[in-house]
Amino acid sequence: MATLPAYRWRLAPDGLATRRQLRALGLRPGGQDVVAELQRPRRRRGPLVAYLYRIDQAKPVRPMTPARRAALDAAMRARRTCPNCRRDAGYCIPRSLGMCVPCADLSSSVA
């Protein structure tokens, strides 16, 4: 298996972009393989790695359909609903707590 070419941070050639950069351009990788990787050095740890894709082979982002919007709304509503009190908390429930903050405060004060 051949290794990917690696470029240092901010030194990637023109015509390559990360997923986020493609998304900002209204594009998606569209099934193409990773062409190279971008490495950002860090102290005392391994480098951060981002994969690069060719911009000329990227495809436009698929439009949002009513069914996809309904599915995303349902998923976000499930993330905001507290399993204890069954109310919409108005924010995504922290996974560390597993419940809304008022319910977590009540359960910690009782214990």
Side-chain angles (χ1 to χ4, degrees), residues 103-111:
C103 288
D105 288 344
L106 283 176
S107 67
S108 66
S109 65
V110 172

Side-chain angles (χ1 to χ4, degrees), residues 34-103:
V34 174
V35 177
E37 61 183 35
L38 190 65
Q39 294 183 351
R40 180 177 179 195
R42 298 189 293 178
R43 293 184 203 171
R44 298 187 183 106
R45 290 186 280 175
L48 288 174
V49 176
Y51 297 112
L52 298 172
Y53 301 91
R54 291 181 50 173
I55 294 174
D56 60 346
Q57 290 183 355
K59 296 180 180 175
V61 175
R62 294 184 186 120
M64 184 64 70
T65 63
R68 186 178 293 165
R69 175 145 334 264
L72 286 173
D73 289 343
M76 291 306 294
R77 190 170 36 258
R79 289 183 66 190
R80 289 190 316 260
T81 303
C82 176
N84 285 0
C85 63
R86 290 297 193 198
R87 287 186 294 198
D88 186 343
Y91 54 88
C92 289
I93 305 293
R95 291 179 60 187
S96 60
L97 297 177
M99 60 188 84
C100 65
V101 175
C103 288

